[in-house]
Amino acid sequence: MKLKSYSLFLLFILTCNWAGAKEINLRDFGVTPWSYENASPAIVKALEAAKSEKEVVLKFPGGRVDLWPGGAVKKELYISNSTEDDTLSKVKNLAIYLDGFSNITIDGNNTLVVLHGKMVSFAILNSQNVTIRNIRFDYERPTMAEFKILEISSNQTKLEAHPDTRFDVHNTQLLFYGEGWGAKPLHTVVTKPEKDQVFRTSWKAFERLQATKESANTVVFNGDVSEAGFQKGDVLSIRDPYRDNCGAFIDLSKNIVLENVSLHYIHGMGIISLFSEDITFKKVAVAPRKESGRTIAAFADCFHFSGCKGLIEVDSCRTSGSHDDPMNVHGTHLKITKVEGDNKLRLRFMHHQTYGFKAFFAGDSVAFVNPDNLMIYDFGKVKIAQVISKREIVLEMEETLPENLKEGDCVENMSWTPEVIVRNSHFERTSTRGLLITTRRKVLIENNTFYRTGMHAILIANDCNYWYESGPVRDVTIRGNRFLQCGFTQGEKGYVISIQPETHNFPKNEYIHSNIRIEDNVFECLGSPVLFARSVRNLWFNNNKVDYMPLSEPNETPVARFRLEHCKGVKVENNEFNGFQSQLLEVMNMKGSEVKTVPKGIFGN
């Protein structure tokens, strides 16, 4: 869909009052706010009644509504980046389940939906023209423990559990639990409130010590944990890293709008959109309720888009307190495991958490990729796509396969790649990156604030060897944003913006990414370098203001604030640099003459 026509559609969705649409009120199905009763069976019945309507508004009653797995829809789902490779059940408990719906609005009426046990807040499958608005979701017992360090010394450390954390001590080891689940401390993140920073850390310092439950909300560890660098007042958030759920799921759907939706806690990945088209998030927040006192809202990513197309628009959104990236947009490289004749090949999902869904459809255009250098060497069109197992897909192509194709190469679905707009949004309190963007269509990242992301505020990657997240970018504009003290956990590698395809093999005069504009932004760098770029043709860094506040001592080895590797056509013009006392630019596998600067000589070239 063209940008103009899609904007008109969105305007209609956001402004119409659904004149003529039938209204179904959950109160009429027995949903009573503040009753603390299980409303899951009533919501299932109300949605069954709504499905036969041409246009319908399902209205929540306001206040608080509680949902349990009992009476909710249960369905086996395989979800990108969120399905472990084992024999355990993949059945999910779905709080709001829309499958095969058209022209429906879920109006939350500012209801707080409280989930009990592991549940998906909403699932939209095989549906179109769906709006969810004015609704909030939270967990009664988050599947993550939070402990504040009350006392710390060389002899012992005392932790205080958050009121929403349930814990016990068994055989001197700490356990935490909730409604229908239990876990041992594993993956750990520390929030330092006085610095408003979040770091990845480890539970190992506590793991070897004996724990004693001192009271209903305090636990004492006997021994020294000083090697971990913890301090009094730090907040530890602890979880089992096993991914068996997600916050919400949008699959094989079209024209989906989330407006004024808040997720205050997510178990597993966040809102995952998979092979869907034209998705808008307007005023969507993933952040703890202020009154909860919790620091973390998301088990992993907040907004995750895998293999989508059309336009993805994220506007006026907010993420705060995630254990992984606030937003990720990518496709998936599948590996060629067998060539079967002149026009047929067998593909395999390679990452252990991404498999089990159809990734190609008849008529899709594909690119054949060399995994060693990420270069596309040919193209094709799918005639038939057949899923033969949870891990394998067979493609029959319209034309003969490329002569130089070989087993071990990868295939990317080019048809399912989206345009992306991210604007007017705020990303904070994460130990990882801000945005990960890899799509060959137009990208605009505009007027956002990235506040103290532990790693890169923006990462443009592409790889065929670990995550298998594709692909190249062709038109990216990053403008009018504020990057405030990002990259603080990575030291000299903590570039605020990193363009980092996962290869070190550079064919002459060939480049993976192209046409990236970074302009009119403000960078406030607290000891972190500014920009890393690898294998980019046409890179502009213009009209930016960069304030650098070095943390290192003057006698330390200078670190380049800009590092370019195998790039061509780089322009750095009319920027304002303040506070730089060391060399600005380092180039590798390229000539310095590929960098054109105005004024000349600002990089010493």
Side-chain angles (χ1 to χ4, degrees), residues 72-80 82-95 97-99 120 123-126 242-246 249 251-252 274 355-358 387 389-391:
V73 173
K74 293 172 172 55
K75 186 176 180 65
E76 183 179 75
L77 294 172
Y78 288 80
I79 301 173
S80 178
S82 194
T83 305
E84 298 288 351
D85 191 11
D86 55 28
T87 59
L88 296 181
S89 173
K90 311 306 176 190
V91 173
K92 310 293 190 290
N93 301 306
L94 309 177
Y97 175 57
L98 304 176
D99 191 351
V120 178
I124 304 171
L125 314 179
N126 308 296
Y242 186 88
R243 293 184 180 180
D244 58 354
N245 208 66
C246 66
F249 187 37
D251 183 38
L252 295 171
L274 179 64
Y355 68 101
F357 52 87
K358 193 168 184 178
V387 176
S389 73
K390 291 289 191 297
R391 281 280 175 188

Side-chain angles (χ1 to χ4, degrees), residues 15 20 30 62 73 83 133 170 173 186-187 189 244 360 364 422 438 440 487 577:
T15 60
V73 173
T83 305
R133 65 188 183 202
H170 177 67
Q173 294 298 303
L186 290 168
H187 185 86
V189 163
D244 58 354
F360 297 89
D364 286 349
V422 184
T438 49
R440 64 184 62 242
F577 296 104

Side-chain angles (χ1 to χ4, degrees), residues 333 365-369 376 378-380 410-414 440:
H333 283 125
S365 297
V366 304
F368 297 102
V369 184
I376 295 168
D378 215 326
F379 302 92
C410 289
V411 178
E412 180 194 11
N413 191 333
M414 297 192 304
R440 64 184 62 242

Side-chain angles (χ1 to χ4, degrees), residues 302-507:
C302 298
F303 309 147
H304 198 105
F305 302 88
S306 176
C308 293
K309 68 179 180 179
L311 176 64
I312 293 171
E313 185 169 7
V314 173
D315 190 351
S316 304
C317 295
R318 176 174 175 258
T319 68
S320 179
S322 60
H323 266 205
D324 217 324
D325 311 311
M327 181 170 169
N328 191 348
V329 181
H330 66 87
T332 301
H333 283 125
L334 273 70
K335 179 173 282 190
I336 299 171
T337 57
K338 188 176 182 181
V339 178
E340 302 178 349
D342 292 338
N343 70 333
K344 189 179 290 187
L345 44 80
R346 183 174 299 195
L347 308 178
R348 182 175 179 81
F349 288 103
M350 297 304 296
H351 192 268
H352 65 95
Q353 292 170 331
T354 297
Y355 68 101
F357 52 87
K358 193 168 184 178
F360 297 89
F361 304 86
D364 286 349
S365 297
V366 304
F368 297 102
V369 184
N370 183 331
D372 294 330
N373 56 28
L374 298 175
M375 288 296 151
I376 295 168
Y377 60 84
D378 215 326
F379 302 92
K381 189 172 184 178
V382 177
K383 182 178 181 181
I384 299 173
Q386 181 183 6
V387 176
I388 61 172
S389 73
K390 291 289 191 297
R391 281 280 175 188
E392 292 184 302
I393 297 174
V394 170
L395 297 186
E396 182 179 339
M397 308 303 294
E398 294 278 5
E399 57 283 296
T400 302
L401 295 172
E403 291 184 3
N404 53 341
L405 179 147
K406 62 184 184 299
E407 293 178 4
D409 288 352
C410 289
V411 178
E412 180 194 11
N413 191 333
M414 297 192 304
S415 292
W416 291 86
T417 53
E419 297 182 34
V420 178
I421 297 174
V422 184
R423 57 159 59 104
N424 307 322
S425 297
H426 186 99
F427 306 100
E428 66 174 14
R429 281 200 174 187
T430 178
S431 61
T432 57
R433 289 71 53 104
L435 304 186
L436 281 72
I437 305 287
T438 49
T439 175
R440 64 184 62 242
R441 302 187 194 275
K442 187 174 182 178
V443 176
L444 174 62
I445 302 170
E446 180 180 50
N447 298 335
N448 305 287
T449 297
F450 300 85
Y451 179 69
R452 293 182 178 172
T453 59
M455 300 178 187
H456 318 296
I458 297 175
L459 172 62
I460 298 172
N462 190 8
D463 84 275
C464 283
N465 298 293
Y466 180 66
W467 287 102
Y468 287 85
E469 294 182 358
S470 61
V473 302
R474 296 288 182 256
D475 185 348
V476 176
T477 300
I478 302 169
R479 72 181 178 211
N481 303 284
R482 299 170 70 236
F483 299 98
L484 305 180
Q485 302 177 23
C486 298
F488 59 84
T489 69
Q490 293 183 297
E492 64 182 48
K493 295 183 179 180
Y495 294 90
V496 178
I497 297 175
S498 184
I499 305 159
Q500 191 174 335
E502 298 296 329
T503 181
H504 293 281
N505 186 347
F506 307 118

Side-chain angles (χ1 to χ4, degrees), residues 12-13 132 137 150 241 307 371 388 486:
F12 167 76
I13 288 289
I132 297 179
F137 297 90
L150 290 184
I388 61 172
C486 298

Side-chain angles (χ1 to χ4, degrees), residues 135-304:
I135 194 166
R136 300 176 293 147
F137 297 90
D138 205 350
Y139 268 50
E140 176 70 10
R141 292 282 173 254
T143 58
M144 186 182 302
E146 291 199 19
F147 289 91
K148 182 179 181 180
I149 298 179
L150 290 184
E151 299 174 10
I152 187 165
S153 69
S154 59
N155 298 320
Q156 70 172 29
T157 300
K158 180 187 288 190
L159 306 181
E160 179 184 44
H162 184 278
D164 291 343
T165 294
R166 294 291 181 269
F167 77 96
D168 213 333
V169 173
H170 177 67
N171 291 335
T172 73
Q173 294 298 303
L174 179 69
L175 307 173
F176 62 98
Y177 62 91
E179 297 172 295
W181 59 267
K184 295 180 179 180
L186 290 168
H187 185 86
T188 306
V189 163
V190 58
T191 300
K192 293 184 175 293
E194 78 284 357
K195 295 182 178 179
D196 206 12
Q197 292 178 332
V198 182
F199 297 83
R200 282 183 171 178
T201 184
S202 171
W203 187 253
K204 290 183 179 179
F206 290 100
E207 199 170 44
R208 58 181 173 76
L209 302 180
Q210 293 187 339
T212 302
K213 189 172 184 179
E214 185 184 68
S215 70
N217 67 334
T218 57
V219 58
V220 172
F221 290 86
N222 295 316
D224 185 9
V225 297
S226 60
E227 74 268 22
F230 298 132
Q231 296 176 329
K232 181 178 179 180
D234 287 353
V235 177
L236 305 177
S237 52
I238 314 155
R239 62 176 171 86
D240 185 334
Y242 186 88
R243 293 184 180 180
D244 58 354
N245 208 66
C246 66
F249 187 37
I250 302 169
D251 183 38
L252 295 171
S253 296
K254 182 176 181 179
N255 295 338
I256 308 301
V257 177
L258 307 184
E259 181 189 9
N260 195 27
V261 173
S262 295
L263 288 88
H264 300 299
Y265 183 75
I266 291 169
H267 174 71
M269 292 287 283
I271 305 172
I272 298 183
S273 301
L274 179 64
F275 283 93
S276 292
E277 181 177 358
D278 294 328
I279 302 169
T280 298
F281 290 1
K282 178 79 170 181
K283 295 183 179 178
V284 177
V286 177
R289 280 185 289 149
K290 188 175 181 180
E291 65 271 24
S292 74
R294 298 198 299 258
T295 64
I296 301 297
F299 184 112
D301 293 3
C302 298
F303 309 147
H304 198 105

